[in-house]
Amino acid sequence: MDDNLKEYEKLKAELKKSIATKNKLEDDFERLEQEIYDTETEYFSGNNTTSNTGIAGNRFSYGGNIIKGFDGFNKSHHHSAGHDSHNRGFSNDDRIFSLSSAIFVKQQQQMDDWEVD
Amino acid sequence: MPTPTNSSSNGTKNRIKDHSPGSPATTPNVAAAGSAGSSAEIAANASRFRHRKISVKQRLKIYRPNDLKSLNQNELQEREMMEIETGMEKNEEKEVHLNRILQKGANLSDESRKREYIPTPKATATWTDFDKFYQGRFKEPSSYIKFSATLEECCGAPYSMDEKDEEFLEGKINAGKEKEDEKLSEDEFEILCSSFESAIHERQPFLSMDPETILSFEELKPTLLKADLLNQQLKQQLGKEIGYKEDQIFTTQLESIDCQSGIRPLSQVIEKFGVQVYEYWKQRKINSSNTEIFPQLRFERPDEKDDSNPYVCFRRRDVRQPRKTRRVDILNSQKLRLLHQELEHAKDMALLVARREKVTLDLLEQNMRIFDQRSNVKRLKRSLGIRGEDEDLVNHKRKRLNVVAQSQMKQNAGAAGAAEAAVSSPASSSTNAVTTSDSSVKRGLKGRILKKNLEHLAKSGQKLTKQQLQQLQAQNLAIASGKHAGHMHAQQVQQAQQAQQALQAQQAQQAQQQQQQEQPQVQQSQQAQQGQSIQSHVYVRLPSSKVPDITLDDVDHLLTNKERNARKFVHDRMEKRKLEDKDLFNLTDDPYNPVFDITLPKDVLPNNSPFSSIASSKYEINRSYYCGNLPAYLNGNTDDITAYNHEGEKLPSNNFKVKKLEVYDPFQTNNEIHSKEYPVKFRKRVGRCGIQYIDRKPNHMEKSVDSVLNQFLDFDAIESQEQNPQETINVYDSKWDEFSRLYDKWQHDSPRNEYGLKVLEEPSRLNQISNETQVIRFGTMLGSKSYEQLRDVTIKYRQEYVARMRQQKLNQKQLQLQQQQQQQIQQEQEQEQELQQQEQEQQQQSQHARSPSLSATSSLSQPSSKMESSPAMPKKVNGISNQHHTKPHQGVPVTQKKSS
């Protein structure tokens, strides 16, 4: 009986530990999802200001990102004004990285349901 | 166009391109020369022959069938020879076999031609074992096949085992080994050998010169380990980045599963089998011809061509480098960098996803473990009969933060900060509003959660009551003001709610939790009210990245700073000037207390004289003082002061009356000042029709006035009338009334108006145009007028001068004539002439008197007529008149010779 109790306590402690690990993992997961989402937003809106290419003005003058492809990347665009809006706009469907998570998709659906209500 | 029929064109059709002599490419010149025919010429032409495009400008000779017979057969063949398209580069045409064929040329018969060929490896043979080795495991996918790897990247290690290798592998290395771990697989063997190859190529590029000098295994080992064959290291790095442990095995989709399965990392293989295999491989390498175990493709760099090789045409074609400008280079490199960045970004995201998936996997495993543990615990618990302690045994619902909502909230926080700056709430001053926005941004960094909560409250567009507002203010000063007016556009209700819930989960430790919990109630009630709040888009929502990341100053701070700076500036200036004026006495600081003994000019009143500038020099300064230490003097500590009279001469210091500094105090009415006051006072009065009058009266009523007045008034009568007021007198006789009328008149009536002009002389307003405009108009008129006059005068003067010069010339001629005549003609005639001359003189004078008026009226367009008129003057002028005219203008420097 005593042994059983000891083992019970031991198992309980292990369980607690596991749950703690699990919680940590879940935190990690959420953090990562958030990070992915933010990075995506930054990337698609073309705001990654890390460009130190020396042609800051040219930042948007080429077409394309990894979703839209780089058609015409090699062409020089002088009419960047009209191109910009077309270039920067992105929909949630473009978020392939975020959308690769089932949980994210579910969240999106919930959001949509909320909005319908 | 008919081609010349000969045998040569048939057999070589596939390799030799036919060119008929009259083909469009032939220039008429060449064709003509060719038809003409000497062989030397033909040879020369043939070498010069080249393709030309057909153009409308060039004539083409057309050969008819009967012409062809007369064409030189040799010439045609010669031309064909040169026209052969080998499809090779120029130096490659020297290739032995090809050259042989070319040289033999068309003279060969069909049979002999067949024998000549360029030897090429046979590639047509059917390999019967193909199906054995290449089993089709390929399944056609539903999507497009995406593939960017090269052939070399796909077929694994570049080294291919042959029979000898197999023998060695099975016979030497794997012999007697039972376990799979101990054995060296074929793939691993190939990888190993490839790594040897590449390492040796790197270390000893010229090994073929002396194969015996090949490095030992130990020498080569560092290079081997460094080499990254099959991207093993890349994979390791990837695993590290994703979070795999060193020995964990994973595959990527990029590598085909079957060829990579079960391959140990290169470093392990080298450790285990390196020495053995290397010795074997080294021997093979040394023994093989040209130190290459397998034949290699010929590579050639464009600048080091080896034309001595007879098999020159069997090599990789080198791509000719296109000419590039530097600008294009820069552009392209920039584009490449951009592309690199894009890919980096994508890679980052992909890595994040990979890490997330890894976490997901771990999570699943952990869940599984927990499940097992729970079932164990439950089993034990039941057997022990323990109750309670259930909290670990059920899955607690975890409140998940919505990713989208969270980042939107983040954006909103930024947008709110920006929007707040634009909003100036009616309740608070604009300064306050800006200040709050500043501090809210600052706070946003620290207590973002709290702030967001409040923002969402405010944003849902409700009007808070005063009390609630105060609560909020107490809680967060930054948010409260500027918001309650409901300026902010209404957020979607559920979004705010979501955020609220999410945030509350995190708010547990917040100090103001109590108040926080009151808010949802407030919010919900308000949400009910504001069910259909209209969305407005007055404010631009900035993405969070656009909000400048600077700590914003509040306006109060700025203003106080500015004020302080301004004060400091003035203060410094004053100090500086005080230093400069150390021994001087500056009046501009103290205009109210001129220490001068001044005489006022006649038109300055003492009432306003202190305000008029001393610098206007209306004052006559009788005395001036210099005081070395003014404050001390004013305090009475010292009487060291020097006085100067109005001519700047120093007054004797023993003159004590003068030595006293006179200080004028304008606010002390009875103060006696040492100045000559204006004897009258003025009064402004508005009379009929709004006309303003200035009345004047004496400043001091002096006694002597009466005596003067006695001349005009009968004061005795007035006095008697004053004493007997009951007496009835005719008004017109009353001296008292007369006196008072006169006194009034004298006192107040003046024919002058405010600004000194007599009323009658006041200029009327012309055409309702103000005086200033009039002045300008008149001024400009005067200007243009005077310019016109000046111009007229100048023109007149010039014309006069020209006329005079002409006349002078005429006069001189005439004088000569006259002198000649005078010698001949007698004295009487002389006298008559004198009379005539006098008459002429008169005439001329009169004409000159007329000419100014003429020229004044004549415009510029008429100078020619005037010019003409001057020589038309009376011709007989004598010397007197001549002198008379030239004399006043002798000062004018004109070169007479030139004009004549």
Side-chain angles (χ1 to χ4, degrees):
Chain A
M1 196 70 179
D2 249 11
D3 288 349
N4 275 354
L5 199 67
K6 249 180 207 165
E7 193 171 350
Y8 170 73
E9 291 296 333
K10 195 184 132 210
L11 274 175
K12 239 184 106 171
E14 268 175 19
L15 180 61
K16 266 204 158 55
K17 216 167 121 192
S18 298
I19 286 172
T21 322
K22 188 191 133 196
N23 282 339
K24 196 178 146 286
L25 281 172
E26 271 180 347
D27 284 347
D28 272 358
F29 178 79
E30 270 161 22
R31 193 177 46 75
L32 276 169
E33 273 219 318
Q34 187 65 47
E35 199 179 340
I36 289 167
Y37 187 87
D38 290 347
T39 321
E40 262 177 347
T41 313
E42 197 195 349
Y43 177 73
F44 288 129
S45 54
N47 280 332
N48 39 351
T49 49
T50 50
S51 66
N52 50 357
T53 52
I55 42 162
N58 250 355
R59 183 68 186 79
F60 305 111
S61 60
Y62 65 91
N65 55 31
I66 51 160
I67 301 301
K68 292 182 178 156
F70 293 97
D71 273 354
F73 182 82
N74 201 23
K75 297 204 182 82
S76 52
H77 295 271
H78 295 295
H79 49 280
S80 57
H83 227 76
D84 258 18
S85 57
H86 168 73
N87 221 4
R88 281 198 227 171
F90 70 99
S91 69
N92 275 341
D93 292 342
D94 288 341
R95 302 179 176 277
I96 50 163
F97 297 102
S98 287
L99 285 171
S100 63
S101 156
I103 291 170
F104 178 83
V105 174
K106 206 177 155 198
Q107 275 179 349
Q108 286 291 102
Q109 277 166 353
Q110 273 176 351
M111 284 267 290
D112 291 345
D113 291 345
W114 277 90
E115 268 166 42
V116 167
D117 293 343
Chain B
M1 182 178 295
T3 39
T5 49
N6 50 22
S7 57
S8 66
S9 60
N10 297 330
T12 56
K13 221 165 212 172
N14 41 6
R15 219 179 290 133
I16 297 170
K17 202 171 162 187
D18 264 341
H19 267 273
S20 58
S23 76
T26 325
T27 57
N29 254 349
V30 175
S35 61
S38 82
S39 59
E41 246 181 48
I42 292 159
N45 279 337
S47 65
R48 259 182 269 132
F49 190 89
R50 60 190 170 97
H51 289 274
R52 295 248 172 84
K53 279 184 183 159
I54 308 171
S55 108
V56 284
K57 286 170 188 165
Q58 278 176 332
R59 284 189 195 165
L60 298 176
K61 180 136 189 173
I62 296 170
Y63 294 99
R64 291 170 196 283
N66 28 350
D67 294 338
L68 292 173
K69 290 171 191 165
S70 58
L71 280 175
N72 193 330
Q73 192 74 25
N74 282 338
E75 178 208 342
L76 290 173
Q77 294 211 338
E78 198 68 41
R79 195 166 289 164
E80 264 176 49
M81 281 304 297
M82 300 315 292
E83 278 305 294
I84 287 168
E85 289 263 337
T86 57
M88 291 181 173
E89 281 173 24
K90 197 139 169 53
N91 50 1
E92 285 173 357
E93 281 173 0
K94 290 180 208 153
E95 201 272 332
V96 187
H97 303 88
L98 180 69
N99 224 355
R100 207 176 295 151
I101 297 166
L102 288 176
Q103 270 169 7
K104 287 185 182 170
N107 293 334
L108 291 169
S109 60
D110 286 352
E111 300 89 70
S112 65
R113 190 174 292 262
K114 268 174 196 159
R115 266 182 268 125
E116 291 294 339
Y117 64 97
I118 302 175
T120 49
K122 216 169 187 179
T124 52
T126 322
W127 183 34
T128 45
D129 290 337
F130 178 84
D131 290 332
K132 204 169 122 194
F133 291 96
Y134 292 90
Q135 286 151 4
R137 266 172 303 198
F138 176 72
K139 268 183 210 153
E140 202 170 307
S142 57
S143 64
Y144 285 119
I145 301 168
K146 293 173 188 170
F147 210 76
S148 63
T150 61
L151 182 71
E152 284 84 355
E153 283 174 296
C154 299
C155 54
Y159 190 92
S160 318
M161 282 175 79
D162 58 7
E163 297 80 7
K164 284 184 201 167
D165 293 328
E166 198 177 353
E167 200 178 302
F168 166 73
L169 186 65
E170 294 306 324
K172 293 274 168 58
I173 294 182
N174 288 346
K177 287 175 183 169
E178 294 296 316
K179 284 184 188 170
E180 279 298 309
D181 300 359
E182 299 286 307
K183 282 185 181 172
L184 180 66
S185 75
E186 290 185 5
D187 285 332
E188 283 165 343
F189 180 79
E190 283 187 346
I191 288 172
L192 208 50
C193 287
S194 305
S195 77
F196 292 153
E197 283 283 357
S198 67
I200 280 293
H201 264 288
E202 194 188 323
R203 293 286 296 274
Q204 290 177 301
F206 302 109
L207 184 70
S208 57
M209 299 292 192
D210 188 5
E212 297 298 328
T213 59
I214 194 163
L215 294 171
S216 71
F217 179 71
E218 288 307 319
E219 282 172 313
L220 199 66
K221 203 175 168 188
T223 324
L224 287 176
L225 291 173
K226 209 171 66 189
D228 186 16
L229 234 81
L230 290 179
N231 299 334
Q232 283 287 344
Q233 278 180 356
L234 200 69
K235 205 174 150 185
Q236 274 173 20
Q237 200 188 339
L238 181 69
K240 214 165 151 191
E241 274 182 63
I242 294 170
Y244 276 102
K245 291 185 182 77
E246 283 270 337
D247 48 349
Q248 246 172 325
I249 290 166
F250 67 99
T251 50
T252 64
Q253 271 190 329
L254 295 179
E255 45 199 343
S256 50
I257 292 144
D258 46 87
C259 93
Q260 294 297 321
S261 58
I263 291 182
R264 287 163 284 193
L266 182 64
S267 51
Q268 284 182 27
V269 181
I270 286 175
E271 283 302 321
K272 243 178 176 170
F273 307 100
V275 190
Q276 249 178 313
V277 179
Y278 185 74
E279 288 310 317
Y280 163 76
W281 176 82
K282 199 166 89 179
Q283 278 312 307
R284 271 205 85 172
K285 184 99 180 156
I286 291 167
N287 294 337
S288 63
S289 67
N290 212 13
T291 71
E292 298 293 345
I293 299 171
F294 293 104
Q296 300 282 308
L297 247 184
R298 260 182 77 80
F299 284 97
E300 228 176 37
R301 276 163 55 193
D303 47 340
E304 338 173 319
K305 277 184 182 157
D306 181 19
D307 289 335
S308 58
N309 192 328
Y311 295 90
V312 71
C313 52
F314 297 107
R315 64 179 170 193
R316 267 203 180 182
R317 314 310 267 185
D318 47 358
V319 184
R320 194 162 292 175
Q321 293 294 322
R323 230 171 250 269
K324 278 183 290 184
T325 61
R326 187 166 292 184
R327 201 180 134 269
V328 171
D329 267 353
I330 291 167
L331 264 178
N332 284 340
S333 65
Q334 277 169 348
K335 269 184 181 148
L336 271 183
R337 256 180 282 165
L338 281 177
L339 191 61
H340 178 74
Q341 261 175 16
E342 291 277 337
L343 296 181
E344 275 289 314
H345 227 99
K347 191 198 96 183
D348 286 348
M349 284 191 280
L351 268 180
L352 279 175
V353 170
R355 265 159 67 193
R356 184 192 65 199
E357 291 311 308
K358 170 99 184 345
V359 169
T360 315
L361 186 68
D362 290 351
L363 207 57
L364 284 174
E365 282 168 1
Q366 193 69 20
N367 274 339
M368 190 69 188
R369 205 170 301 138
I370 287 173
F371 177 79
D372 288 340
Q373 284 172 341
R374 271 180 186 157
S375 57
N376 285 339
V377 167
K378 274 178 195 162
R379 200 163 27 79
L380 263 174
K381 203 178 140 192
R382 282 202 197 98
S383 64
L384 289 168
I386 301 172
R387 289 189 179 278
E389 302 180 358
D390 281 343
E391 68 271 15
D392 279 347
L393 298 182
V394 284
N395 268 329
H396 294 286
K397 188 111 183 172
R398 191 181 159 92
K399 266 176 192 153
R400 209 159 234 148
L401 282 178
N402 194 324
V403 171
V404 184
Q406 213 169 17
S407 52
Q408 268 178 2
M409 269 163 8
K410 222 181 271 175
Q411 275 190 352
N412 289 343
E420 261 178 275
V423 174
S424 63
S425 93
S428 61
S429 72
S430 63
T431 321
N432 249 340
V434 179
T435 319
T436 50
S437 79
D438 291 342
S439 53
S440 73
V441 170
K442 274 184 210 158
R443 268 168 196 251
L445 299 172
K446 296 178 208 160
R448 201 175 66 214
I449 297 161
L450 168 66
K451 182 173 161 255
K452 266 185 275 175
N453 200 341
L454 289 168
E455 262 167 15
H456 277 285
L457 258 181
K459 262 185 220 164
S460 48
Q462 68 291 75
K463 286 191 175 173
L464 301 177
T465 63
K466 274 258 167 82
Q467 198 192 353
Q468 284 161 342
L469 181 69
Q470 275 167 1
Q471 267 185 9
L472 289 178
Q473 262 172 343
Q475 211 175 41
N476 190 340
L477 209 141
I479 316 295
S481 71
K483 287 268 189 69
H484 68 102
H487 275 312
M488 308 303 291
H489 65 244
Q491 280 298 110
Q492 286 166 348
V493 170
Q494 72 274 16
Q495 199 181 313
Q497 212 173 16
Q498 269 183 352
Q500 185 83 12
Q501 285 169 355
L503 289 165
Q504 272 194 320
Q506 298 184 6
Q507 271 168 359
Q509 282 100 23
Q510 289 283 334
Q512 291 118 341
Q513 203 180 11
Q514 264 193 337
Q515 281 168 336
Q516 294 286 342
Q517 272 164 0
E518 283 170 24
Q519 279 165 17
Q521 295 162 7
V522 173
Q523 190 190 12
Q524 263 152 22
S525 66
Q526 275 148 358
Q527 275 170 6
Q529 289 168 9
Q530 293 264 330
Q532 303 112 355
S533 61
I534 307 150
Q535 272 201 329
S536 69
H537 300 282
V538 185
Y539 302 107
V540 184
R541 182 188 291 179
L542 277 175
S544 57
S545 52
K546 282 267 175 79
V547 179
D549 189 23
I550 33 169
T551 40
L552 296 170
D553 249 339
D554 45 305
V555 168
D556 272 346
H557 189 237
L558 275 179
L559 284 178
T560 46
N561 255 348
K562 204 173 167 187
E563 175 95 21
R564 198 185 306 137
N565 284 341
R567 276 175 195 282
K568 192 165 178 290
F569 179 75
V570 171
H571 185 74
D572 287 351
R573 275 297 173 89
M574 297 285 278
E575 293 264 290
K576 203 177 156 194
R577 207 175 64 186
K578 260 181 198 164
L579 269 177
E580 281 171 359
D581 297 348
K582 202 183 172 192
D583 295 329
L584 293 171
F585 181 27
N586 199 332
L587 274 174
T588 50
D589 279 344
D590 200 7
Y592 289 99
N593 286 330
V595 288
F596 299 102
D597 192 6
I598 52 172
T599 307
L600 286 173
K602 287 191 184 75
D603 53 348
V604 175
L605 292 175
N607 289 351
N608 56 19
S609 60
F611 299 94
S612 60
S613 171
I614 290 172
S616 68
S617 73
K618 275 176 177 175
Y619 297 92
E620 263 176 50
I621 298 166
N622 292 342
R623 277 191 294 277
S624 62
Y625 297 89
Y626 170 70
C627 184
N629 194 357
L630 189 65
Y633 178 83
L634 287 174
N635 291 336
N637 299 336
T638 172
D639 59 346
D640 176 29
I641 192 159
T642 333
Y644 300 87
N645 70 2
H646 64 280
E647 279 172 319
E649 290 157 359
K650 199 173 173 182
L651 290 170
S653 56
N654 50 10
N655 189 346
F656 287 105
K657 192 190 156 202
V658 173
K659 274 215 89 168
K660 189 173 182 302
L661 194 64
E662 291 135 3
V663 179
Y664 170 72
D665 184 1
F667 305 108
Q668 209 170 329
T669 46
N670 292 328
N671 194 17
E672 190 183 333
I673 58 165
H674 297 266
S675 62
K676 289 161 191 162
E677 274 181 85
Y678 204 56
V680 284
K681 280 180 180 167
F682 291 98
R683 185 183 78 174
K684 192 164 84 173
R685 176 164 66 88
V686 179
R688 255 174 267 154
C689 305
I691 297 169
Q692 291 190 337
Y693 294 99
I694 299 290
D695 301 337
R696 65 174 175 188
K697 63 177 187 181
N699 205 359
H700 302 289
M701 188 63 105
E702 289 173 34
K703 289 270 162 54
S704 61
V705 168
D706 279 346
S707 63
V708 177
L709 287 175
N710 270 337
Q711 291 172 13
F712 306 99
L713 288 167
D714 186 0
F715 282 98
D716 298 334
I718 294 164
E719 240 170 273
S720 68
Q721 202 183 338
E722 227 173 353
Q723 281 155 8
N724 308 312
Q726 287 86 11
E727 219 175 307
T728 320
I729 317 170
N730 187 356
V731 177
Y732 297 104
D733 294 339
S734 166
K735 290 293 175 192
W736 170 256
D737 283 354
E738 196 188 337
F739 168 71
S740 60
R741 279 204 302 274
L742 186 69
Y743 188 79
D744 263 12
K745 191 184 175 188
W746 181 85
Q747 242 186 344
H748 299 296
D749 281 4
S750 162
R752 288 176 182 277
N753 63 12
E754 212 175 350
Y755 37 91
L757 273 176
K758 278 178 185 164
V759 175
L760 291 175
E761 288 168 3
E762 191 173 8
S764 56
R765 292 189 119 202
L766 186 65
N767 298 334
Q768 294 301 316
I769 296 166
S770 74
N771 223 5
E772 288 79 10
T773 319
Q774 293 266 11
V775 165
I776 293 167
R777 278 190 173 189
F778 190 63
T780 51
M781 204 177 74
L782 277 181
S784 57
K785 194 97 182 167
S786 65
Y787 171 72
E788 272 169 28
Q789 278 178 346
L790 180 74
R791 202 181 57 182
D792 284 350
V793 166
T794 330
I795 291 166
K796 204 168 74 188
Y797 172 75
R798 278 189 203 145
Q799 286 169 347
E800 263 177 43
Y801 184 77
V802 168
R804 204 169 47 240
M805 292 314 294
R806 286 190 181 183
Q807 208 164 13
Q808 213 174 358
K809 226 166 114 185
L810 276 175
N811 284 347
Q812 278 176 348
K813 277 186 185 172
Q814 208 131 26
L815 204 67
Q816 284 174 353
L817 270 174
Q818 278 170 7
Q819 280 171 350
Q820 285 174 357
Q821 280 175 352
Q822 270 173 354
Q823 287 169 359
Q824 294 165 357
I825 298 166
Q826 295 163 1
Q827 289 282 328
E828 300 103 340
Q829 284 174 324
E830 250 184 59
Q831 282 176 349
E832 279 179 19
Q833 220 170 7
E834 270 181 17
L835 276 171
Q836 275 184 334
Q837 282 167 355
Q838 277 170 0
E839 279 175 13
Q840 281 170 355
E841 193 184 323
Q842 278 173 356
Q843 270 185 338
Q844 211 173 5
Q845 274 175 348
S846 67
Q847 198 177 348
H848 267 279
R850 247 184 290 131
S851 69
S853 63
L854 251 173
S855 61
T857 48
S858 72
S859 70
L860 259 172
S861 60
Q862 289 173 320
S864 56
S865 67
K866 260 216 83 181
M867 300 280 211
E868 283 166 10
S869 73
S870 45
M873 280 194 297
K875 291 196 175 174
K876 291 187 176 179
V877 186
N878 66 358
I880 306 162
S881 68
N882 186 19
Q883 276 181 355
H884 174 70
H885 279 287
T886 48
K887 222 176 188 177
H889 296 290
Q890 270 169 350
V892 183
V894 179
T895 52
Q896 279 192 355
K897 280 176 188 170
K898 273 187 186 170
S899 64
S900 61

